[in-house]
Amino acid sequence: MALRDSATGKIIREYSIEDLEDAANRMRGYDLVALCAAGSGHAGGTLSIMDLTAALYLDAADHDPKKPAWADRDRIIWSAGHKAPALYLGLAFAGFCPLDEVVTLRKLGSPFQGHPHWLKLPGVEVSTGSLGQGLSIAVGMALAARLDGKHHKIFCLMGDGEQQEGQVWEAAMEAGHFHLDNVIAIIDCNGLQIDGWVKDVMQVEPLEAKYASFGWETLRIDGHDMKQVVEALRKARAAAGRPVVILANTVKGKGVSFMENQAGWHGKVPNRVELAAALTELGLSERIPVEQLLEKARSYQAEVERQLALKMPSFSRDYWWNAGETMKVKMEPTRKGFGQALKENGDDERVVCLGLDISGSITISEFYAGKPERAGRWISIGIAEQSATAAAAGLAREGKLPVLGSYATFSAARNLDQLRVSVCYANLNVLIAGAHAGVSVGPDGATHQALEDLFAMQGLPNMSVAVPCDVVETRKATQHLLLEHEGPKYIRFAREATPVVTDEKTPFVFGQANVIRLRGEAANFADAFETRLAADYRNEAEDLSIVACGPMVPEAMRAAYILKQEYGYETRVVNLHTLKPIDAEAIVRAARETGVVVTAEEHQIGALAWRVSSILTESRELYGLPVITAAIGVKDRFGDSGAPWELVKEFEVSAEHIAQKAAELMVFKKKAAAGAGLAMA
Ligand SMILES: Cc1ncc(C[n+]2csc(CCOP(=O)(O)OP(=O)(O)O)c2C)c(N)n1
């Protein structure tokens, strides 16, 4: 089996063991160049899988690069979606796509998304990125092949940490039960995951015994010995009557001494100096056109920026953050406020934090950092969001105050039923952190950009929902939810550094909105504003209101500034840091007193906009009064890879977009006021 021309059946090229070794080595080099150009991504896990990738794409799989959709091709499921660059290089070396284009990895609009998307790149079989789903897809494809009387194989590549997902074992049981001998699972057993060694985070071994007990044939090999890899893949193809799993012992970061066996290189990429050192170690300095590739990445990026600039609403000057003297602002990631609050309030013996293998980046690790006395209350569950959610319910039922968090896509979507039944229906005191939410999580792409979580979290009875606007407010909200608020609670925050627009003195009352007003100019942009509790605010009959939550609050403030500078409009910014319970009074007042309401959310339009709309349409106080509304947010589309602030532009959730929309509405308001009537406007 190999690369073939599906029309004639002719083998395109036969690879010797040496050829495959050389290809794997060069793939490592191209991988590191692409990661360096991207500025983010996963070095460790892509390097550990390269020998397997080369053998799979160039020798084991039966497929045709000229006809990626050939019906009889073998399918390769990249369940470990974060190892996408290895998949792309497998495809590129096999001839499915140009090799030099892989260097556009993780850039806006690139087919080489942060996690694989089959609709963007021919040869990618399915879209992955949420771990633990690939083997189930493989089972489905294997059953389809059986129904259609086809004999191709379905390979599924997974990580060893990924084995912690319960769904893997449901799929393993199904493949065994159905005797799916067309399924070949490959596990990259490099022993590491994000939070450290797999055996410490959550032991998954002995994998042979586990898979065997589900009716699988198991093969354990050295995943860097090409001869063993090729032989195992051939043997697996020949299996009859049961699925096969190849357990490949590998080294994370293989081939680059300073990356090998280092957990820190999981989600890290080399800088230029490290890249040069790595390529020297791999013996590739002269064999890869590094400068040419990096130049290609740069020119792709320049074009992205040019196109984005063309798309942006334009004003008389540049109002971007820190663009001029009046736009200076300090930026800090909101997620840090979550960690600070856990650090400060974690002495309460009831607080228990659950680790889901993404602890440093979402800052939940601050709970135990430098606090050995809290070690017993730090419980690492691993990559198992669903079980962890129900375990949190169990802890809460026994009087604990459990906290868990992950990317919001995994902590508020993958585990939705557990949240619904075990946590919310039971009305238990569980704090869930939806970290890295919104498009601004950036180059990881659509699978990691939670843009729907607030629909579900707000929709769950008993659940309270906070979406703080900056790092300081995130700390205050976390502290309140952790120790003072009873019942299920969800806090949503972002990964990227965003403007700090509140301070210690800014009011924060859970469930009550703040009103923010521009009062002039200041050396620090945020100081040009005054913030009051909405309930204490006296009407100033502003021209319009912007109701915003989360990182859209600073954008709304910037929009208020643009509207003042460009049109002389006064804007009431309403910071709805608590979405549930919602401050309906503040919303109704803003509508009644200004007549124009623009909502701004870094989410699919609706989590905020539709709630505000329903409050407005149901308010007796507004019956018969003209209120003009518009919504800024993501317009019913999935995210994309790209730099965080590029995505804010691409998805039209910047201050410029808010200001443009508000100015449009003001034209209607003026016409209506002049007696022209809305219908004629
Ligand atoms: C459902 C889900 N939870 C969390 C993540 C975040 N995440 C990406 S990679 C990773 C660790 C994977 O470990 P492993 O499977 O061992 O892969 P490797 O260490 O080889 O990269 C995690 C937790 C994810 N992508 N999907």
Side-chain angles (χ1 to χ4, degrees):
M1 295 299 148
L3 282 173
R4 69 174 67 238
D5 178 332
S6 54
T8 61
K10 254 178 64 186
I11 303 271
I12 295 173
R13 175 174 168 190
E14 296 220 47
Y15 285 79
S16 66
I17 295 294
E18 292 71 33
D19 291 341
L20 291 173
E21 284 168 346
D22 183 58
N25 190 43
R26 283 193 299 130
M27 283 167 150
R28 287 192 168 92
Y30 276 92
D31 178 39
L32 294 171
V33 176
L35 289 169
C36 176
S40 69
H42 301 85
T46 47
L47 292 177
S48 65
I49 199 77
M50 262 344 163
D51 302 298
L52 292 154
T53 306
L56 197 50
Y57 275 89
L58 303 177
D59 181 69
D62 211 13
H63 50 186
D64 179 357
K66 297 282 170 294
K67 217 173 158 201
W70 172 36
D72 291 327
R73 73 193 182 282
D74 290 336
R75 274 62 164 171
I76 303 176
I77 311 297
W78 220 249
S79 187
H82 63 289
K83 298 172 197 263
L87 157 64
Y88 300 149
L89 287 162
L91 288 170
F93 271 67
F96 284 82
C97 57
L99 179 56
D100 61 345
E101 285 185 9
V102 180
V103 81
T104 64
L105 179 73
R106 292 181 153 242
K107 297 198 186 300
L108 188 62
S110 168
F112 305 100
Q113 290 285 296
H115 292 78
H117 189 28
W118 82 283
L119 295 170
K120 290 218 177 196
L121 185 67
V124 174
E125 290 290 353
V126 293
S127 303
T128 52
S130 180
L131 293 169
Q133 302 191 18
L135 195 58
S136 300
I137 299 176
V139 165
M141 286 182 160
L143 290 170
R146 186 177 280 178
L147 287 171
D148 294 342
K150 291 194 173 294
H151 300 289
H152 56 263
K153 299 288 180 185
I154 295 102
F155 297 91
C156 176
L157 188 127
M158 297 177 279
D160 49 1
E162 187 178 1
Q163 304 303 302
Q164 291 155 358
E165 285 288 2
Q167 183 181 348
V168 170
W169 300 102
E170 295 177 25
M173 186 165 23
E174 291 150 12
H177 175 80
F178 293 120
H179 301 281
L180 296 178
D181 54 11
N182 45 358
V183 169
I184 301 169
I186 303 165
I187 305 181
D188 181 16
C189 295
N190 59 33
L192 277 172
Q193 54 188 116
I194 300 179
D195 280 359
W197 295 102
V198 175
K199 65 180 166 41
D200 299 329
V201 173
M202 178 56 64
Q203 178 64 285
V204 298
E205 295 285 358
L207 287 170
E208 280 99 332
K210 287 183 176 134
Y211 274 92
S213 72
F214 283 121
W216 289 59
E217 182 176 337
T218 66
L219 300 168
R220 176 76 73 168
I221 59 163
D222 174 347
H224 299 309
D225 180 328
M226 192 56 82
K227 208 158 161 279
Q228 285 190 38
V229 173
V230 167
E231 271 168 18
L233 285 164
R234 288 194 183 147
K235 202 164 164 208
R237 285 201 81 98
R242 53 188 182 155
V244 183
V245 60
I246 299 173
L247 302 160
N249 291 338
T250 57
V251 173
K252 204 160 173 173
K254 175 71 180 174
V256 181
S257 59
F258 55 91
M259 295 183 187
E260 286 191 359
N261 285 322
Q262 299 297 319
W265 277 96
H266 171 87
K268 203 175 138 187
V269 298
N271 59 29
R272 287 298 308 272
V273 175
E274 290 161 339
L275 174 65
L279 292 178
T280 305
E281 279 196 30
L282 293 167
L284 293 172
S285 303
E286 306 299 320
R287 294 186 66 202
I288 291 185
V290 180
E291 287 313 320
Q292 213 174 305
L293 290 170
L294 293 179
E295 181 46 39
K296 189 173 180 83
R298 269 193 297 272
S299 66
Y300 182 94
Q301 179 60 25
E303 183 56 18
V304 163
E305 286 168 23
R306 206 178 67 81
Q307 294 296 337
L308 274 180
L310 289 177
K311 277 182 61 177
M312 284 296 281
S314 65
F315 296 101
S316 64
R317 67 180 172 91
D318 184 359
Y319 292 100
W320 198 256
W321 294 116
N322 294 314
E325 280 311 306
T326 57
M327 306 308 294
K328 295 237 175 311
V329 79
K330 195 178 141 213
M331 300 238 187
E332 226 183 313
T334 44
R335 60 191 159 124
K336 290 203 171 160
F338 175 66
Q340 281 164 15
L342 294 177
K343 191 181 194 85
E344 289 163 14
N345 300 284
D347 282 340
D348 187 313
E349 289 291 328
R350 295 170 302 161
V351 176
V352 176
C353 289
L354 303 183
L356 302 182
D357 193 33
I358 183 97
S359 308
S361 142
I362 71 160
T363 76
I364 198 170
S365 56
E366 288 296 304
F367 169 71
Y368 62 81
K371 305 264 184 196
E373 70 281 9
R374 295 183 189 171
R377 291 186 283 121
W378 167 253
I379 303 173
S380 169
I381 301 275
I383 316 168
E385 296 82 2
Q386 297 163 74
S387 183
T389 303
L395 285 156
R397 184 70 183 83
E398 297 298 332
K400 306 293 179 199
L401 296 178
V403 184
L404 64 97
S406 182
Y407 282 83
T409 42
F410 310 134
S411 63
R414 193 183 176 106
N415 54 346
L416 186 53
D417 193 36
Q418 285 79 5
L419 281 171
R420 181 174 177 271
V421 177
S422 300
V423 176
C424 287
Y425 184 42
N427 199 14
L428 291 168
N429 227 346
V430 177
L431 173 56
I432 299 111
H436 300 5
V439 286
S440 59
V441 61
D444 276 341
T447 53
H448 285 52
Q449 290 159 353
L451 299 176
E452 305 82 17
D453 53 309
L454 290 172
F455 287 138
M457 293 304 103
Q458 288 184 104
L460 289 170
N462 294 335
M463 182 70 101
S464 293
V465 179
V467 190
C469 73
D470 68 1
V471 63
V472 180
E473 206 169 76
T474 304
R475 181 170 56 66
K476 292 178 187 173
T478 305
Q479 177 173 342
H480 172 84
L481 291 174
L482 181 67
L483 297 181
E484 289 155 50
H485 186 86
E486 293 223 346
K489 44 224 166 175
Y490 178 65
I491 183 165
R492 181 191 210 240
F493 50 86
R495 182 181 199 289
E496 185 61 11
T498 50
V500 184
V501 292
T502 69
D503 60 26
E504 284 315 312
K505 295 193 287 307
T506 310
F508 176 82
V509 180
F510 187 75
Q512 290 194 39
N514 283 343
V515 167
I516 307 174
R517 292 280 289 119
L518 178 63
R519 295 300 185 203
E521 296 200 335
N524 175 0
F525 178 77
D527 294 340
F529 292 79
E530 183 192 7
T531 303
R532 280 174 178 265
L533 210 56
D536 298 340
Y537 179 70
R538 286 200 34 223
N539 181 18
E540 295 181 19
E542 302 92 323
D543 296 295
L544 70 127
S545 303
I546 303 171
V547 178
C549 61
M552 293 306 284
V553 171
E555 290 303 308
M557 292 164 71
R558 198 160 64 84
Y561 185 76
I562 298 174
L563 288 163
K564 178 73 180 169
Q565 295 289 314
E566 297 280 321
Y567 309 95
Y569 294 148
E570 293 289 339
T571 304
R572 179 183 306 187
V573 174
V574 178
N575 172 8
L576 265 191
H577 51 66
T578 310
L579 269 191
K580 195 180 169 190
I582 200 162
D583 187 345
E585 173 64 23
I587 295 166
V588 171
R589 274 190 62 196
R592 197 180 62 224
E593 292 167 1
T594 71
V596 172
V597 176
V598 181
T599 55
E601 55 198 310
E602 199 196 346
H603 191 273
Q604 304 289 356
I605 285 178
L608 176 65
W610 299 342
R611 286 205 75 199
V612 167
S613 295
S614 83
I615 286 167
L616 297 184
T617 48
E618 285 176 23
S619 165
R620 282 164 183 259
E621 285 178 63
L622 296 174
Y623 285 174
L625 293 180
V627 178
I628 309 170
T629 64
I632 293 291
V634 178
K635 299 183 183 117
D636 194 23
R637 59 183 274 209
F638 276 104
D640 208 323
S641 287
W645 289 101
E646 280 172 15
L647 295 176
V648 167
K649 294 178 182 174
E650 169 66 18
F651 286 85
E652 303 179 357
V653 291
S654 73
E656 284 76 2
H657 293 96
I658 302 172
Q660 184 186 48
K661 182 56 76 184
E664 263 172 53
L665 298 194
M666 283 305 295
V667 174
F668 284 82
K669 179 177 172 176
K670 282 182 189 164
K671 282 191 180 168
L678 282 177
M680 292 167 62

